[in-house]
Amino acid sequence: MTAALLEVRGLKTHFPTSSGIARAVDGVSFTLERGEVLGLVGESGSGKSVTGFSLIGLVDEPGRIVDGEIRFEGRDLVGQPTKELRRIRGRDIAMVFQDPMMTLNPVLSIATQMHLALEAHEKIGKEEARQRSIEALARVGIPSPEGRIDSFPHQFSGGMRQRVAIAIALLHRPKLIIADEPTTALDVSIQAQILAEMKALVKEFGMAMIWISHDLATVSSIADRIAVMYAGRIVEAGPVGQVLRSPRHPYTQGLLDSLPTRTSPGEELAQIPGTTPSLINLPSGCAFAPRCARANAECAVIPEEVYEDARRFRCHHPLPERSTP
Amino acid sequence: MLGFIIQRLWQAVIVILAMSVLVFCGVYAVGNPIDVLISPDATQEIREQVIAQYGLDLPLWQQYFGFFQRMLHGDFGESFVYNMPVTTLILSRLPATFELVLFAVVGASVIGIPLGMYAGYKPESRTAKLIMGLSILGFSVPSFWIGLVLIMTFAVQLGWLPAGGRGETAELFGVDWSFLTLDGLKHMVLPAINLALFKLAMMIRLARAGTREIMLTDTIKFARAAGLSERTVLIRHVLRLIAIPLVTIFGLELGSTLAFAVVTETIFSWPGLGKLIIDSITSLDRPVMVAYLMMVALLFVVINFCVDLAYALLDPRLRRARA
């Protein structure tokens, strides 16, 4: 068996602040095979986006990766000089962001922005860059790309802008694409379109993808595996069907309970009591314990990871496995 | 675009009209030019004759319409002091100020914007702090004092550069310019630096603030995530995004410096417009004052128009709204 495409081990990304160290990512490990889609799920502030940015070395100042390794095709990216990382960004690992209104430069034409992205990794003439860009735009479903390539971002709708951003991310046919909530800012109907589009593209290119989202519904429809993050750690991970059908960690169960369902309309949704803990003063044991109905004295110690077949979770009192119907 | 230009021309006409009324009435309210025009021991007869000759006995509105009619023909009258047409007088002084100010403002931008962008790009670095320290100095030290220090240092002590005057000039398009000769350039260095320091400080601050803000946006993150080099990010993305406030300030500074380079021109005895207007105010040379102020109004109208055109070039979002 060849090495996995991406292997993250004990990744810790911390942000020193005036009131202490914020442990945004605190010991995250996962592997990703070629062509696999991993859904990274969690609430705001759970560290899922920071994990994504850590992978390409673009953590905001003053944050830094303090420990762990990120092996991409066997090579550790942590501690690589910026120049090396830049060669990987966009070419091997690309990223799509949440808000397409904010990611594209409003004063540069689409053609210019795509040309810059192409130029970043290869010597390319203007005409060729244009041809490649038009092909890329056509691939993500933008109608009559020849006519629209000279337009500016404000002349596109939100969904179309996100398609342009995806086209830019796919220009170099990366091996891994990190999608940081790419559908959150879009209308529901557009969300479904983009989701289907991404699914098809990932398959066509044989790309691996990390789909970062707080939306379990989108994740369940696109991911092969899912990893649930809470306060900087992965609390549960496994094949998407198993995890969602029979969550073992109480937090995952809580997330599922707070989703509206079609079978019980009008009923009040269950909430997880309490709020997400401050990343500066994390409880010393399980971070979820203060909000967890199953917690007891044992939870003052960080639980070891439990492996069961393809799944793993961190909990002293896991929910019993439900037999699948 | 055409509609926009027509609209702006129409606005310009109104601004100039309003300015002509304000300027004429304002200047009319200041002193009695007759005292300057004739010697105090002149007879009452001569006095009345001169008053009638300049139309100073007519009511204000008649004087204004007379002035306005002549202005439409490009005639601002004759200077009381120089006894020559005001238009010729101003045009003879304009190039000196124009070249000095252009050098100062363009120089300040060309040097200030990169420095400011660097300070915004690496705000914690020592170089950035040094740049910002210097910019505070440029802001707060009075211009006349810097001018004197410059003369003391480079003209008197070191003797490298001349202390004042325009030096040798060469003719281009029928106008004398200092920047075409080495001697003229030497004469221009110190006053240009003196004028530029404040603008340099302003450009640095503006570029820094813009850069700091833009660097934190997703646009820059996305560009970096695509593997763009920092150089490309700064030049192709950041510079374009901070250009609008920079162009605005560039235009305003160009206009206000052209109009009011008085202090520097006086210190370096640079024979430009600033000196002319100060002289004309002390001698109550009404036609020169009025013509000068009208020229300043026109200047700002033209500059603002150019700035607006530049906006449309720089920001595609404005193009559509105005088209």
Side-chain angles (χ1 to χ4, degrees):
Chain A
M1 192 184 132
T2 51
L5 177 69
L6 179 73
E7 204 172 343
V8 178
R9 287 272 154 266
L11 178 69
K12 291 188 178 182
T13 306
H14 292 177
F15 291 76
T17 68
S18 52
S19 45
I21 293 169
R23 299 165 204 276
V25 176
D26 206 25
V28 161
S29 306
F30 61 88
T31 55
L32 193 64
E33 303 294 337
R34 282 162 215 277
E36 190 183 23
V37 178
L38 172 74
L40 200 54
V41 181
E43 288 169 88
S44 313
S46 60
K48 52 193 195 311
S49 291
V50 177
T51 305
F53 283 117
S54 300
L55 298 182
I56 53 171
L58 280 181
V59 181
D60 279 330
E61 291 281 325
R64 60 176 65 242
I65 298 174
V66 292
D67 197 18
E69 50 187 59
I70 299 167
R71 293 204 170 271
F72 182 76
E73 297 191 302
R75 188 160 69 128
D76 191 3
L77 301 185
V78 177
Q80 290 281 354
T82 326
K83 216 175 141 191
E84 279 303 305
L85 286 173
R86 191 155 62 229
R87 284 173 48 180
I88 291 169
R89 281 179 212 151
R91 201 185 58 179
D92 295 322
I93 307 179
M95 196 154 175
V96 178
F97 290 59
Q98 177 173 351
D99 194 344
M101 311 283 166
M102 313 296 284
T103 47
L104 298 173
N105 188 330
V107 300
L108 297 179
S109 73
I110 302 301
T112 309
Q113 300 193 45
M114 295 188 90
H115 190 183
L116 287 175
L118 279 167
E119 246 179 3
H121 295 293
E122 51 194 277
K123 270 209 144 20
I124 188 164
K126 215 170 174 171
E127 255 326 293
E128 199 195 337
R130 202 179 162 80
Q131 275 315 312
R132 292 255 306 266
S133 304
I134 289 173
E135 283 163 30
L137 290 175
R139 214 178 297 127
V140 295
I142 288 182
S144 59
E146 306 83 12
R148 307 219 61 187
I149 188 165
D150 291 311
S151 308
F152 290 88
H154 70 276
Q155 291 162 319
F156 288 87
S157 67
M160 282 297 158
R161 270 187 241 194
Q162 195 59 293
R163 282 168 204 259
V164 172
I166 293 168
I168 291 177
L170 297 184
L171 275 174
H172 295 282
R173 299 192 171 239
K175 294 169 184 134
L176 168 63
I177 180 159
I178 303 167
D180 187 2
E181 309 214 28
T183 58
T184 308
L186 305 174
D187 289 344
V188 182
S189 56
I190 308 289
Q191 274 188 19
Q193 283 177 20
I194 298 275
L195 202 66
E197 206 85 60
M198 287 293 270
K199 233 166 146 174
L201 287 165
V202 165
K203 210 163 191 173
E204 184 192 334
F205 283 31
M207 282 185 302
M209 176 156 77
I210 298 177
W211 184 274
I212 299 172
S213 178
H214 63 259
D215 182 357
L216 282 171
T218 59
V219 170
S220 67
S221 76
I222 197 169
D224 303 313
R225 281 194 307 132
I226 186 171
V228 180
M229 279 191 81
Y230 186 77
R233 295 200 186 95
I234 293 180
V235 292
E236 176 160 16
V240 72
Q242 287 182 32
V243 171
L244 296 185
R245 215 166 15 243
S246 163
R248 303 299 306 274
H249 197 283
Y251 177 63
T252 317
Q253 181 67 53
L255 281 183
L256 285 168
D257 287 344
S258 51
L259 284 179
T261 61
R262 266 178 291 188
T263 48
S264 53
E267 261 177 55
E268 205 165 306
L269 295 174
Q271 296 177 13
I272 304 175
T275 54
T276 42
S278 145
L279 295 171
I280 293 168
N281 296 309
L282 282 182
S284 58
C286 170
F288 187 60
R291 302 171 73 185
C292 180
R294 302 170 73 87
N296 63 11
E298 240 185 309
C299 298
V301 180
I302 294 182
E304 287 299 313
E305 250 181 326
V306 182
Y307 289 83
E308 267 179 18
D309 303 327
R311 310 182 53 176
R312 61 192 167 102
F313 50 86
R314 276 176 190 270
C315 187
H316 291 296
H317 312 289
L319 298 157
E321 190 151 11
R322 265 176 243 163
S323 52
T324 44
Chain B
M1 202 61 202
L2 191 70
F4 165 66
I5 292 175
I6 291 172
Q7 187 196 347
R8 288 311 299 253
L9 279 177
W10 176 234
Q11 282 173 4
V13 169
I14 295 175
V15 168
I16 295 292
L17 263 177
M19 268 308 284
S20 73
V21 174
L22 285 176
V23 164
F24 193 81
C25 297
V27 170
Y28 186 88
V30 183
N32 185 357
I34 290 303
D35 300 339
V36 189
L37 284 170
I38 49 178
S39 62
D41 46 333
T43 61
Q44 189 61 24
E45 245 169 78
I46 296 179
R47 228 181 133 76
E48 265 156 25
Q49 190 197 331
V50 173
I51 288 178
Q53 183 193 332
Y54 286 101
L56 295 172
D57 51 348
L58 297 170
L60 177 60
W61 65 271
Q62 276 188 4
Q63 284 192 43
Y64 172 76
F65 279 108
F67 153 76
F68 191 75
Q69 259 178 349
R70 287 193 298 277
M71 186 177 81
L72 290 183
H73 295 100
D75 175 16
F76 283 93
E78 283 206 354
S79 161
F80 295 163
V81 178
Y82 296 89
N83 284 323
M84 64 194 281
V86 170
T87 329
T88 324
L89 181 64
I90 287 185
L91 285 181
S92 74
R93 297 292 193 94
L94 188 61
T97 298
F98 188 72
E99 62 176 344
L100 179 64
V101 166
L102 206 63
F103 265 72
V105 177
V106 170
S109 307
V110 169
I111 298 169
I113 293 171
L115 285 181
M117 283 179 73
Y118 180 83
Y121 175 65
K122 281 192 185 310
E124 298 302 326
S125 71
R126 213 171 269 185
T127 321
K129 284 178 178 156
L130 186 73
I131 293 171
M132 293 322 287
L134 287 178
S135 85
I136 292 175
L137 224 62
F139 254 126
S140 45
V141 179
S143 154
F144 77 90
W145 186 79
I146 292 184
L148 292 177
V149 169
L150 285 174
I151 291 177
M152 277 296 286
T153 319
F154 295 100
V156 179
Q157 303 285 340
L158 296 170
W160 292 350
L161 294 163
R166 263 188 101 178
E168 216 178 297
T169 56
E171 208 180 88
L172 182 70
F173 306 126
V175 180
D176 287 331
W177 300 99
S178 286
F179 77 92
L180 294 172
T181 67
L182 187 65
D183 185 55
L185 274 177
K186 272 187 181 170
H187 278 81
M188 202 152 51
V189 172
L190 288 185
I193 290 177
N194 189 208
L195 267 184
L197 276 179
F198 181 80
K199 292 154 221 332
L200 181 73
M202 187 139 65
M203 284 294 178
I204 288 178
R205 301 221 139 227
L206 215 61
R208 182 185 108 112
T211 306
R212 279 198 81 169
E213 198 183 313
I214 299 292
M215 287 313 289
L216 300 177
T217 59
D218 275 357
T219 305
I220 298 309
K221 262 198 166 173
F222 187 64
R224 282 174 164 166
L228 268 60
S229 68
E230 294 298 283
R231 208 184 131 80
T232 314
V233 166
L234 282 172
I235 295 175
R236 301 298 300 270
H237 282 283
V238 178
L239 187 59
R240 280 299 305 274
L241 286 165
I242 63 172
I244 283 202
L246 292 177
V247 166
T248 312
I249 293 298
F250 179 89
L252 287 178
E253 281 301 308
L254 192 64
S256 64
T257 317
L258 273 174
F260 312 109
V262 181
V263 175
T264 299
E265 287 187 355
T266 313
I267 292 175
F268 291 92
S269 30
W270 189 264
L273 286 172
K275 264 181 76 68
L276 179 68
I277 182 69
I278 288 297
D279 291 346
S280 70
I281 288 173
T282 40
S283 59
L284 275 180
D285 197 346
R286 271 192 192 170
V288 176
M289 284 154 78
V290 171
Y292 177 82
L293 290 173
M294 288 312 295
M295 182 207 76
V296 169
L298 189 67
L299 202 67
F300 270 95
V301 166
V302 170
I303 286 177
N304 278 337
F305 180 70
C306 293
V307 167
D308 273 335
L309 287 184
Y311 283 175
L313 281 179
L314 288 170
D315 195 337
R317 288 167 295 186
L318 298 176
R319 260 174 250 165
R320 170 172 268 191
R322 282 176 181 163

